Amino acid sequence: MKNISSINERVKKYAYAEIAALYNDFQISTDGYNHEQAENSRVQYGENLIIEQKADTVWHCIRRAFVNPFTIILFVLASISFITDVILPSNFSRNVTTVFIIVSMLIISGIVRFIQEMRSKKVTDDLSRIVSTTIFVRRDGVWKGMASEELVVGDTIRLQAGDCVPADVRLTMTRDLFISQSVITGESSVSEKNSIALNPLNEVPYAAYYNTAFAGTSVIGGSGEGIILAVGKDTVYGDISGWSNVRKNKFDRGANSIAWVLIRFMAVLVPVVFVACGLTKGDWVSAFLFALSVAVGLTPEMLPMVINACLAKGSAAMGQKETVVKNINAMQSFGSMDVLCVDKTGTLTGDTILLEYYMDILGNECSKVLDYAYLNSMYHTGVKNHLDTAILKCRKMPGRESYFSSLPTQYPKLDELPFDYERKFVSVLVKGADSNILLMKGDIDQVCRRCGLVEYRGKLTKIQPGDMDGVHTVADELLEDGMKVLAVAYKPLEDDSICASDEQDFILLGYLVFFDAPKKSAASAIEKLQSLHVGVKVLTGDQRGVAISICRRLGMEVTETLTGAELELLPEDELPIHIEQTTVFAELSPKQKANIVEVLQSNGHSAGFLGDGMNDLPAMTQADVGISVDTSAEAVQKSSDVILLKKDLNVLSDGILEGRKAFANMSKYIKITASSNFGNILSIVIASVFLPFLPMTMVQLLLLNLLYDVLCLVLPWDTVDKDIYSLPREWSGKTLGRFMRFFGPISSVFDLLTFAFLYFILCPFICGGDFTSLPSIAAQTQFIAIFQTGWFLESMWTQVLILHLLRTKKLPLLQSKPSFPVMTVTIFGIVVFTALPFTPLGTLFGLTSMPLGYLGFLAVNVILYMLLITLAKTHYLKKYHELI
């Protein structure tokens, strides 16, 4: 959470002032602001953009698309290439087109990513409009619903249960108004608000301003009116993105890790090449420029393009499965996720809960329990939930409609204390025939703790020490069966209002029993997640027994359970062990959910969180990938990475698979291309030291790059072996350097064999002598053309085949077949480029026809290369147990 050190001076000033001063200073009439006053206020104090999330603006989508560690490296290398190829051309420079290729790839890859993110942004914007915060505001003498963005300082607004406060508001009228300030205080307690001015002689912290509702806080119960004093970034909460985007995406950390591996290789190779070429050629300027070109040649030019294409493909695939990936980097987080934390209701169970029984303390049906519960739910002004909805459906019971419609007349409401996550119950005061009655409904443990008597068939019995286990017997049996149980209690009260101290010495009346059925798809979905080695942990506010029963019905192995109260008692050094071993966490507060996710991350896990309520926001923000549903609160949707258009765990397993496939194809390109480039650079450096000419022309290098780049462009559509995507993978550069050092020099060995065969055997045989003894320029030109053509063909074959050899742990083409696009591009490229030297078009690129004998040598060389790579791959797998 962002650090909040002060509040706006207007808010502070008028919290200590009387309401009349507020109306006078801001020239507010009883009709509220008119249009002209509102526009003037907007100009003077700014717009109310409190719910705008920076990461979702067009500008931030552009920045994400074009600015990342890979694009920065390639931009720097393009600048170097521009200097070496255009400004300071030398014999050792690569090609002016290198700049064009790199810049083109940067632009195209950025556009691909930007288009995909804008598509996702459009969907999330449409969802935001559906759930957009609408506040009642007094304008021109009329109360009207208005989007929170349109509110201005001086507006008179009305708040009610369920509202997210849109700005910092000085309250002018309240009625049982209770507000949760957890987003600004970090605590889950609820504060009762009123409109009385603070005492100027007793300054208190802003969290204790009982007459002010702060932006971002939630109305738990009651209603109120007030005048806006601060909007947008002037509020205490500020821009919501300042808090909800504190999480640094794991993709960025992995990208930085990979980028630094490449930079370290450059840091070693560039000075070595500079010294070697400078000593052998004597031209230190040319040696320096050639050393810089080595850095360009080492970096995979298509890196941003392939990565963005892989992520965009995965994101688009999820879009077809009713899942919106707001930030395509989250596809990688999906793939690396090894722990998924979920709430119970609506995820493992359905959204609809049924009231099955209303019973006394011994399990007999009791209409008085239902009557008191009905009054409590009907009069409760807090945010309605699925349990209240189930209770209120009893008014539609056949033959009982008139009875329940008459209850409010018999028992009018006097006062209430709404539900909060600390107390876990609701208290409502009603006027009875003989006396006032305080009705309580909520968590069994919390309610029973406040009861001193029990009622059974009209008789009251005092609860003795040790009797509570007996009182719990019926409820415990129901909880073990997976039913959700609430306790109902009451007490006579003389006063017409209530306070927290009144919530003691109740009479336990009985229980309400609800059936929360597991979803039919949940068991198979959990089985899929477990087969993908993703652990599922349930984080719920429900009772332990209910959560355990549901999990067991779904086939989840419940190794250990913990409640929120038990977590608080654990020593800090024991928390990581217990949280690691626990499957079900019950009776949690919002803050505890976030703490559990944080501990899992500190244990080395990549954690996801699926939630839909405001109480899930802290945990979702903390998680590596936050997942919400389309019916979530607006702030929850804004802070999530992924939005499910249907709340189904099967979709999550699909997302994990797509993420892992995207990761695998990205890793194929990065590891294989970087190692291949490393081998080629070694070969070119060695050849440049010993050969009197360049081993390949700039145009020929461009042709090779073109073929390989086209092949890499279809990598996002390559198939991925099951053994690769069956386990979560870490996105980092930890194994990249090892892979490059292991496989890169192997290609250099065969390059050098080819160099030797061409320079000492084939070319002298065809041209009539070694290069230095040839009498004419024409003969030397022929010698060079044969050498360059020979290495062009060998490089093309080895560079293409290594992609197929290292893309899988299995035997390529036989045990693991590439996708049709990859195979098609491979065959087409090899056939066309092998035939090119034998065509008139080949002469335009400096290529010449080769004798059939060389093709025989090439075939043997390529076969030996494939065998050696296969043996090396086997050794690598035995030693490191992974490839890609």
Side-chain angles (χ1 to χ4, degrees):
M1 194 187 318
K2 72 176 189 176
N3 182 32
I4 303 168
S5 58
S6 62
I7 63 173
N8 188 280
E9 284 301 316
R10 285 192 306 277
V11 178
K12 185 174 181 180
K13 174 183 176 182
Y14 290 104
Y16 289 91
E18 296 296 333
I19 296 174
L22 190 62
Y23 279 94
N24 182 65
D25 293 350
F26 285 90
Q27 299 180 345
I28 305 169
S29 69
T30 55
D31 290 337
Y33 269 179
N34 57 37
H35 178 74
E36 183 180 353
Q37 286 177 303
E39 291 305 312
N40 290 339
S41 178
R42 198 186 316 277
V43 172
Q44 182 176 357
Y45 299 108
E47 295 188 272
N48 190 33
L49 300 179
I50 190 167
I51 63 169
E52 181 182 3
Q53 188 178 27
K54 289 182 179 179
D56 286 340
T57 63
V58 174
W59 167 247
H60 282 79
C61 288
I62 293 174
R63 192 175 73 176
R64 276 204 303 265
F66 290 95
V67 182
N68 58 63
F70 299 135
T71 58
I72 291 172
I73 286 178
L74 288 180
F75 180 78
V76 171
L77 294 180
S79 303
I80 293 172
S81 184
F82 179 76
I83 294 172
T84 59
D85 294 341
V86 180
I87 298 178
L88 299 173
S90 76
N91 291 332
F92 295 98
S93 60
R94 292 184 67 197
N95 192 349
V96 67
T97 54
T98 302
V99 180
F100 174 76
I101 291 174
I102 294 176
V103 173
S104 298
M105 292 305 100
L106 289 175
I107 294 173
I108 294 172
S109 66
I111 290 173
V112 167
R113 177 177 178 135
F114 177 70
I115 290 173
Q116 183 61 37
E117 291 215 354
M118 287 305 295
R119 288 175 178 171
S120 296
K121 182 179 183 301
K122 182 180 183 301
V123 177
T124 54
D125 286 348
D126 290 342
L127 288 173
S128 293
R129 280 191 286 272
I130 294 173
V131 298
S132 179
T133 304
T134 299
I135 296 294
F136 281 99
V137 59
R138 185 82 169 171
R139 289 273 183 94
D140 297 314
V142 178
W143 287 102
K144 60 179 71 174
M146 187 173 291
S148 58
E149 295 91 337
E150 299 179 33
L151 301 177
V152 298
V153 171
D155 266 333
T156 303
I157 66 170
R158 179 179 291 165
L159 300 172
Q160 53 193 9
D163 284 345
C164 181
V165 181
D168 287 353
V169 180
R170 169 64 161 92
L171 297 167
T172 58
M173 185 278 291
T174 64
R175 180 174 181 182
D176 297 327
L177 182 62
F178 290 85
I179 290 181
S180 169
Q181 299 187 151
S182 60
V183 293
I184 61 171
T185 65
E187 303 297 331
S188 56
S189 59
V190 174
S191 301
E192 184 173 11
K193 300 288 185 176
N194 59 49
S195 59
I196 302 171
L198 299 178
N199 183 357
L201 302 177
N202 182 26
E203 188 168 334
V204 295
Y206 69 85
Y209 284 15
Y210 50 74
N211 60 5
T212 305
F214 295 106
T217 59
S218 303
V219 181
I220 299 300
S223 60
E225 294 178 10
I227 295 173
I228 293 177
L229 293 178
V231 294
K233 293 183 179 180
D234 289 338
T235 64
V236 167
Y237 189 49
D239 193 340
I240 195 170
S241 62
W243 178 54
S244 60
N245 285 331
V246 295
R247 181 182 63 241
K248 180 175 174 61
N249 197 289
K250 272 199 169 182
F251 179 88
D252 298 326
R253 296 197 293 270
N256 287 330
S257 173
I258 293 169
W260 276 109
V261 171
L262 297 175
I263 290 172
R264 284 194 290 269
F265 268 84
M266 293 177 201
V268 173
L269 279 177
V270 169
V272 170
V273 172
F274 171 65
V275 173
C277 290
L279 291 174
T280 56
K281 303 298 181 185
D283 187 345
W284 290 94
V285 174
S286 296
F288 176 70
L289 296 176
F290 178 62
L292 292 180
S293 70
V294 165
V296 177
L298 182 65
T299 307
E301 296 169 347
M302 298 285 290
L303 191 58
M305 180 69 178
V306 172
I307 286 177
N308 284 340
C310 288
L311 294 174
K313 176 184 176 293
S315 176
M318 291 308 299
Q320 296 174 357
K321 297 173 182 178
E322 299 185 84
T323 302
V324 179
V325 181
K326 293 168 57 181
N327 179 354
I328 64 174
N329 287 354
M331 284 307 304
Q332 188 280 323
S333 298
F334 245 146
S336 64
M337 181 170 64
D338 60 354
V339 172
L340 176 64
C341 301
V342 300
D343 62 353
K344 181 179 68 66
T345 303
T347 302
L348 301 181
T349 62
D351 290 316
T352 302
I353 289 182
L354 300 176
L355 175 62
E356 291 286 319
Y357 309 109
Y358 40 96
M359 58 180 63
D360 59 27
I361 59 170
L362 294 184
N364 303 303
E365 184 174 303
C366 178
S367 59
K368 187 176 181 180
V369 170
L370 180 59
D371 291 349
Y372 281 5
Y374 176 83
L375 290 169
N376 182 287
S377 294
M378 189 188 67
Y379 285 138
H380 176 219
T381 59
V383 180
K384 295 299 181 185
N385 56 64
H386 47 280
L387 298 176
D388 283 324
T389 302
I391 293 169
L392 294 176
K393 284 182 179 178
C394 70
R395 57 189 163 201
K396 297 182 180 179
M397 293 170 63
R400 302 292 301 278
E401 295 93 338
S402 59
Y403 174 78
F404 283 106
S405 63
S406 67
L407 277 180
T409 305
Q410 300 176 41
Y411 299 94
K413 178 184 175 181
L414 297 175
D415 199 6
E416 75 167 306
L417 287 176
F419 176 88
D420 66 64
Y421 291 101
E422 294 296 320
R423 292 159 51 249
K424 297 184 179 179
F425 56 80
V426 181
S427 295
V428 174
L429 182 64
V430 297
K431 185 176 181 61
D434 301 320
S435 65
N436 298 336
I437 306 172
L438 183 56
L439 308 175
M440 176 184 285
K441 175 185 93 264
D443 178 80
I444 295 176
D445 291 331
Q446 295 293 338
V447 171
C448 290
R449 193 174 298 159
R450 288 164 172 78
C451 292
L453 300 169
V454 295
E455 178 179 324
Y456 178 66
R457 295 185 176 179
K459 182 180 179 180
L460 300 181
T461 305
K462 186 176 182 180
I463 300 176
Q464 301 294 336
D467 287 350
M468 196 52 69
D469 290 340
V471 172
H472 265 288
T473 301
V474 174
D476 288 344
E477 291 177 356
L478 292 166
L479 290 172
E480 289 175 3
D481 291 335
M483 311 295 273
K484 185 171 181 63
V485 183
L486 297 182
V488 178
Y490 75 98
K491 65 181 283 189
L493 192 69
E494 295 181 0
D495 297 334
D496 290 341
S497 62
I498 52 176
C499 59
S501 61
D502 292 322
E503 294 181 323
Q504 299 293 335
D505 302 322
F506 276 78
I507 301 167
L508 180 62
L509 184 60
Y511 306 110
L512 300 168
V513 183
F514 304 85
F515 182 58
D516 194 6
K519 280 186 174 179
K520 293 181 180 179
S521 63
S524 61
I526 290 173
E527 187 177 346
K528 286 182 183 178
L529 290 172
Q530 291 173 339
S531 69
L532 293 172
H533 300 275
V534 177
V536 179
K537 293 185 182 291
V538 177
L539 277 59
T540 180
D542 281 344
Q543 294 107 323
R544 189 205 313 249
V546 176
I548 292 175
S549 176
I550 292 294
C551 291
R552 285 176 176 164
R553 289 187 192 184
L554 296 173
M556 289 179 62
E557 184 179 354
V558 182
T559 54
E560 188 176 330
T561 64
L562 282 172
T563 64
E566 291 168 346
L567 276 174
E568 292 295 329
L569 297 175
L570 286 175
E572 190 171 344
D573 58 342
E574 294 183 15
L575 268 177
I577 299 174
H578 284 281
I579 288 178
E580 190 71 32
Q581 296 173 343
T582 301
T583 308
V584 176
F585 299 86
E587 302 167 32
L588 298 176
S589 69
K591 189 177 180 181
Q592 287 173 327
K593 290 183 180 182
N595 289 342
I596 291 170
V597 174
E598 186 176 8
V599 171
L600 287 171
Q601 290 170 322
S602 66
N603 285 354
H605 290 288
S606 180
F609 188 91
L610 169 61
D612 59 355
M614 286 295 291
N615 60 321
D616 295 321
L617 185 57
M620 186 177 301
T621 303
Q622 179 64 44
D624 295 301
V625 53
I627 309 163
S628 67
V629 294
D630 60 338
T631 55
S632 300
E634 183 180 18
V636 176
Q637 286 190 17
K638 292 276 183 183
S639 65
S640 64
D641 302 302
V642 178
I643 301 176
L644 306 183
L645 301 185
K646 61 179 182 179
K647 201 171 183 181
D648 187 346
L649 287 179
N650 282 302
V651 178
L652 292 180
S653 62
D654 293 338
I656 291 169
L657 281 176
E658 291 295 338
R660 291 182 184 177
K661 289 177 182 178
F663 169 82
N665 286 331
M666 289 189 299
S667 295
K668 287 177 191 176
Y669 175 75
I670 293 171
K671 287 188 173 182
I672 296 173
T673 304
S675 63
S676 177
N677 286 357
F678 179 49
N680 286 341
I681 290 299
L682 286 179
S683 303
I684 292 174
V685 169
I686 295 171
S688 66
V689 171
F690 294 102
L691 291 177
F693 52 84
L694 289 174
M696 197 178 297
T697 68
M698 296 178 294
V699 175
Q700 291 161 2
L701 279 171
L702 176 62
L703 274 177
L704 272 181
N705 285 339
L706 179 64
L707 171 61
Y708 191 74
D709 289 347
V710 170
L711 178 59
C712 290
L713 278 177
V714 296
L715 264 185
W717 288 266
D718 190 21
T719 55
V720 179
D721 293 342
K722 185 176 180 179
D723 58 2
I724 293 178
Y725 66 69
S726 62
L727 291 170
R729 304 283 178 174
E730 183 182 8
W731 170 244
S732 75
K734 289 181 180 179
T735 61
L736 175 59
R738 181 181 73 197
F739 192 94
M740 292 172 66
R741 291 190 300 270
F742 191 92
F743 290 103
I746 295 176
S747 63
S748 295
V749 170
F750 286 88
D751 285 341
L752 295 176
L753 284 175
T754 304
F755 288 170
F757 176 78
L758 290 169
Y759 191 80
F760 294 110
I761 299 176
L762 184 64
C763 292
F765 176 78
I766 295 175
C767 298
D770 61 70
F771 183 79
T772 55
S773 65
L774 293 176
S776 64
I777 296 177
Q780 290 184 340
T781 302
Q782 183 187 21
F783 189 104
I784 293 173
I786 294 171
F787 185 97
Q788 291 176 339
T789 303
W791 194 46
F792 172 86
L793 291 174
E794 189 266 350
S795 294
M796 183 267 296
W797 274 86
T798 55
Q799 197 169 18
V800 169
L801 289 177
I802 194 173
L803 186 61
H804 287 269
L805 290 167
L806 296 181
R807 58 172 289 277
T808 175
K809 295 180 181 179
K810 304 174 182 178
L811 285 176
L813 304 178
L814 298 177
Q815 294 178 328
S816 175
K817 295 181 180 179
S819 65
F820 179 76
V822 172
M823 201 65 209
T824 301
V825 172
T826 299
I827 295 173
F828 180 79
I830 287 178
V831 170
V832 170
F833 278 55
T834 302
L836 186 63
F838 301 94
T839 66
L841 184 62
T843 58
L844 297 177
F845 299 105
L847 301 174
T848 185
S849 59
M850 300 292 288
L852 294 180
Y854 175 72
L855 295 181
F857 164 82
L858 179 62
V860 172
N861 195 50
V862 168
I863 291 172
L864 289 175
Y865 174 71
M866 293 173 65
L867 288 175
L868 185 57
I869 286 289
T870 302
L871 291 174
K873 181 173 71 173
T874 304
H875 176 70
Y876 187 90
L877 286 169
K878 285 183 179 179
K879 186 174 182 180
Y880 300 113
H881 309 291
E882 67 173 8
L883 186 65
I884 297 300

